[in-house]
Amino acid sequence: MSSPTTTPRRRHVLDLDDWSADELRSLLTIATQMKDILERPVKQVPTLRGKIVVNMFWEDSTRTRSSFELAAKALSANVLSLGAKDTSVKKGESLVDTVRTVQALGADYIVMRHGQSGAPYLVAQHFRGSVINGGDGRHAHPSQALLDLFTMHERLGELADKKVVIVGDILHSRVARSNLWALTTMGAKVVVCGPPTLIGPAKYWQSTWPKVEISHSLDHAAEGADVLMALRLQHERMEGGLLPSLREYSRRFGLNATRVASANSNVIVMHPGPMNEGVEIMPDVATGPHSVIETQITNGVAMRMALFYYLATGSEQV
């Protein structure tokens, strides 16, 4: 009689391209329990007591960096936060040298954000502990996609056959890519929407995600949607000639009350932040009854606690 098989414990979280639906459901279960912990008078458990978490953020960040720091502290870890200016990078130190230094100081976990796609993968090759990708170039932002998934699941339940519309600068978005992996794995019907210059060729997306729908009309895409997610429009896209004007973009692709009204009655409105209110999302929609944007921020701490817990224990039992 053969022994039962077990799923090997993950060492890193670099992207979501190799996560199964069962693993994602386990993480959602853990995040729910972590959110319960955060609602207690004492918002702390001893899971990572004695462990060291180093946040290495080579790009500016408010939500992600502070969320990971709060998550690690809620699990009783010791936390060190480093930006590029806090290291010897300007003196010629390489990223690998910095990782070796952090490792010699006793780090157990590294949370890495970097402007170059693939940087967390390089760190993972040279670090004995666990690496979590906090966003790398245009490539991936797995923890953002996971907290988005958690927020959708809280409000909508199972996501199979739910219509999720992601609108904005899809081509340059690491948030969109990681969300595509998570949402398609869970069976959602995903529509990516934006001007052709910010989406690129349909075959580029459909070669990897064949069931993803491409749309260049938000008025059409929003009809019957269960989720409307706007992505931040970076001003350099207009400066690079990819858009005629911010006003034109807002008119055609901004989330406004009319487009929200065309979606399902229980539609949720999401944005990973930071927002350009009045451009990709109107102020009344960002703070309206369908918005879960503040909930996303709250859920970010719970989901990042869940990630640390899952890496530390491999279990969904808290």
Side-chain angles (χ1 to χ4, degrees):
M1 182 176 179
S2 60
S3 59
T5 59
T6 58
T7 302
R9 182 188 300 181
R10 283 188 178 271
R11 183 176 161 201
H12 308 298
V13 180
L14 302 176
D15 198 0
L16 302 177
D17 53 343
D18 61 345
W19 284 65
S20 68
D22 286 342
E23 277 187 293
L24 292 174
R25 289 190 184 94
S26 292
L27 210 52
L28 294 173
T29 299
I30 301 169
T32 300
Q33 297 173 74
M34 293 301 169
K35 192 169 183 178
D36 290 341
I37 290 169
L38 292 172
E39 292 172 354
R40 298 175 184 174
V42 179
K43 303 174 177 64
Q44 197 169 53
V45 290
T47 306
L48 296 184
R49 182 178 294 163
K51 301 295 184 180
I52 298 175
V53 174
V54 178
N55 285 334
M56 294 174 57
F57 274 62
W58 268 222
E59 285 185 331
D60 292 338
S61 170
T62 300
R63 291 159 186 77
T64 304
R65 181 171 176 167
S66 58
S67 182
F68 268 114
E69 184 168 339
L70 288 170
K73 289 180 176 179
L75 295 171
S76 302
N78 299 306
V79 181
L80 174 65
S81 291
L82 295 175
K85 67 181 186 301
D86 301 316
T87 70
S88 296
V89 168
K90 290 184 178 179
K91 299 178 182 179
E93 182 176 73
S94 70
L95 179 58
V96 171
D97 288 337
T98 303
V99 170
R100 288 171 178 157
T101 298
V102 167
Q103 183 165 265
L105 291 171
D108 300 287
Y109 299 86
I110 289 177
V111 181
M112 180 81 216
R113 170 168 286 189
H114 203 284
Q116 294 295 319
S117 298
Y121 289 77
L122 177 64
V123 172
Q125 290 173 9
H126 295 273
F127 183 60
R128 289 192 293 267
S130 294
V131 177
I132 300 176
N133 184 358
D136 64 324
R138 294 195 214 169
H139 172 246
H141 196 347
S143 67
Q144 179 67 48
L146 288 167
L147 74 89
D148 292 342
L149 191 73
F150 180 40
T151 304
M152 293 179 211
H153 189 267
E154 273 191 325
R155 294 300 181 101
L156 303 174
E158 284 295 321
L159 296 179
D161 296 324
K162 294 292 193 296
K163 182 179 179 180
V164 179
V165 178
I166 306 175
V167 57
D169 185 3
I170 308 296
L171 185 61
H172 303 92
S173 175
R174 57 194 175 202
V175 172
R177 283 174 174 79
S178 289
N179 262 294
L180 282 169
W181 285 119
L183 291 167
T184 55
T185 298
M186 298 302 284
K189 297 178 179 178
V190 184
V191 181
V192 294
C193 179
T197 52
L198 296 184
I199 289 186
K203 63 182 180 181
Y204 173 83
W205 300 100
Q206 292 174 336
S207 63
T208 303
W209 299 282
K211 295 184 179 180
V212 168
E213 180 183 338
I214 310 296
S215 174
H216 302 304
S217 169
L218 183 55
D219 290 329
H220 173 72
E223 294 176 358
D226 298 291
V227 178
L228 292 171
M229 179 188 296
L231 301 176
R232 181 172 69 93
L233 183 68
Q234 300 182 34
H235 291 285
E236 54 264 36
R237 304 303 172 225
M238 190 178 72
E239 295 167 2
L242 297 179
L243 295 170
S245 69
L246 292 179
R247 178 179 294 181
E248 177 68 9
Y249 178 86
S250 181
R251 184 181 70 81
R252 294 188 58 197
F253 297 102
L255 278 185
N256 58 31
T258 301
R259 287 165 176 147
V260 172
S262 73
N264 279 344
S265 59
N266 63 340
V267 65
I268 59 174
V269 171
M270 307 181 74
H271 194 300
M275 291 184 288
N276 295 307
E277 291 190 23
V279 179
E280 69 260 10
I281 187 168
M282 301 305 111
D284 60 323
V285 172
T287 58
H290 295 282
S291 174
V292 294
I293 294 170
E294 289 189 7
T295 302
Q296 286 175 268
I297 298 171
T298 301
N299 285 349
V301 180
M303 178 50 75
R304 286 161 179 140
M305 288 174 69
L307 279 176
F308 283 126
Y309 187 92
Y310 192 64
L311 291 176
T313 68
S315 170
E316 66 179 56
Q317 300 300 320
V318 177

